[in-house]
């Protein structure tokens, strides 16, 4: 089979992804990286402030230049999760924390049901027919989930003030760790073992809520499954924080007007918007 540049890039991508997932596939088989994305979406104020919670899926075998174009429809909605109400009903013997925990558990049970075909096919190969009408042995694996922080907290079933990648305590967030020391990465397999022995103390220390996570049912889930949402994490959060810091710095040194004059002096350029 003749492989072009795109095919070589795909082979390298599959090799690197297989290494990161720590899996070994039979010779001649194909890895199908499954990519997911989800986020609660506000629709409009003119229809009763309704919201949707969609879950989208695509595969990493599609080149990013096509996958990231909305017109290519490479991302397909596979489910709409139920939105939990903002307020909880005060019922005797049913605390607010218990209601929120049961709501989170219900979300994970729904995700477990939706992704059950992936779990069932995880340890077995799936024969798929390619565009060249040749049947090949494929192995689907969950490789990434694009989400913002609140979505990450829901997927990992962690507290909102905890890191979705490691078990850093809430009071130590933002501090540089000591040399040679790093916090444990979030390991779904370890959490499942803790759940089996009902070790709620370790759950509390790790910042994990005591429910059965749907990630435990999926084969070989990477610890860094949640990928950064560029819109909320980079473009809105970090840039906004950086500009506030810069403005406070130049204001303290009485250079704010000079700073703004420099921005105004930037000449126009193609596809570049002057702040």
């Amino acid at each position: 089979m003749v492989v072009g540049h795109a095919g070589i890039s795909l082979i390298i991508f599959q090799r690197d992804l297989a290494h990161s997932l720590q899996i070994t596939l039979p010779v001649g088989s194909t890895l199908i990286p499954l990519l997911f994305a989800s986020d609660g979406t506000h629709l409009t104020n003119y229809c009763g402030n309704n919201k949707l919670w969609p879950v989208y899926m695509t595969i990493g075998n599609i080149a990013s230049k096509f996958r990231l174009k909305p017109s290519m429809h490479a991302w397909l909605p596979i489910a709409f999760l139920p939105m939990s109400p903002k307020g909880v009903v005060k019922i005797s013997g049913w605390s607010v924390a218990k209601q929120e925990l049961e709501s989170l558990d219900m979300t994970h049970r729904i995700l477990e049901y939706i992704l059950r075909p992936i779990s069932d096919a995880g340890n077995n190969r799936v024969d798929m027919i390619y565009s060249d009408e040749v049947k090949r042995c494929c192995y689907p694996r969950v490789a990434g989930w694009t989400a913002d922080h609140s979505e990450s907290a829901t997927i990992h079933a962690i507290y909102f003030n905890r890191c979705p990648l490691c078990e850093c305590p809430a009071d130590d967030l933002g501090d540089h760790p000591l040399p040679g020391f790093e916090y444990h990465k979030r390991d779904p397999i370890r959490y499942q073992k803790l759940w089996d022995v009902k070790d709620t103390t370790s759950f509390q220390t790790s910042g994990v809520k005591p429910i059965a996570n749907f990630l435990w049912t999926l084969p070989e889930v990477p610890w860094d499954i949640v990928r950064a949402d560029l819109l909320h994490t980079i473009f809105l959060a970090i840039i906004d924080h950086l500009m506030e810091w810069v403005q406070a710095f130049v204001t303290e040194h009485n250079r704010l007007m000079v700073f703004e004059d420099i921005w105004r002096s930037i000449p126009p350029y193609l596809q570049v918007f002057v702040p």
Side-chain angles (χ1 to χ4, degrees), residues 25-238:
L25 301 180
V27 176
S29 59
T30 301
L31 176 65
I32 307 295
L34 302 177
L35 308 177
F36 294 89
S38 61
D39 188 20
T41 305
H42 179 79
L43 295 180
T44 174
N45 295 330
Y46 298 100
C47 62
N49 293 332
N50 291 330
K51 292 185 177 181
L52 283 179
W53 193 358
V55 179
Y56 296 91
M57 186 183 75
T58 186
I59 60 175
N61 307 79
I62 303 175
S64 59
K65 64 179 180 180
F66 300 117
R67 188 174 66 245
L68 300 180
K69 284 186 177 181
S71 59
M72 301 302 295
H73 303 287
W75 287 88
L76 300 179
I78 61 173
F80 290 95
L81 302 177
M83 297 290 298
S84 57
K86 278 188 175 182
V88 292
V89 181
K90 294 183 179 180
I91 301 177
S92 178
W94 199 17
S95 64
V96 173
K98 184 177 180 181
Q99 293 185 57
E100 293 177 349
L101 189 64
E102 291 182 354
S103 176
L104 178 63
D105 181 71
M106 178 59 65
T107 300
H108 278 253
R109 300 289 69 77
I110 294 174
L111 289 173
E112 179 184 354
Y113 176 80
I114 295 172
L115 302 180
R116 186 173 298 169
I118 301 175
S119 177
D120 296 338
N123 298 322
N124 302 313
R125 72 178 194 179
V126 178
D127 294 330
M128 298 183 180
I129 300 178
Y130 276 46
S131 58
D132 55 2
E133 299 184 356
V134 176
K135 182 182 294 186
R136 291 183 173 87
C137 172
C138 300
Y139 287 82
R141 292 292 188 274
V142 178
W145 197 301
T146 301
D148 56 16
H149 178 70
S150 60
E151 202 77 9
S152 299
T154 300
I155 294 172
H156 285 290
I158 61 176
Y159 294 97
F160 191 79
N161 62 344
R162 301 301 290 266
C163 175
L165 298 180
C166 69
E167 298 180 356
C168 176
D171 296 337
D172 296 341
L173 290 175
D175 296 336
H176 190 71
L178 297 176
F181 175 80
E182 63 179 13
Y183 296 101
H184 293 290
K185 307 298 183 184
R186 297 207 174 274
D187 186 2
I189 299 178
R190 173 173 169 266
Y191 294 151
Q192 184 177 11
K193 293 179 180 179
L194 295 176
W195 173 260
D196 293 338
V197 298
K198 304 301 180 182
D199 189 353
T200 56
T201 303
S202 297
F203 264 66
Q204 184 71 24
T205 304
S206 303
V208 183
K209 296 183 179 180
I211 66 167
N213 197 308
F214 77 96
L215 295 177
W216 303 346
T217 64
L218 302 176
E220 298 154 346
V221 176
W223 64 270
D224 56 346
I225 177 177
V226 176
R227 312 293 176 170
D229 186 337
L230 293 181
L231 174 61
H232 297 87
T233 306
I234 305 297
F235 300 148
L236 294 183
I238 294 183

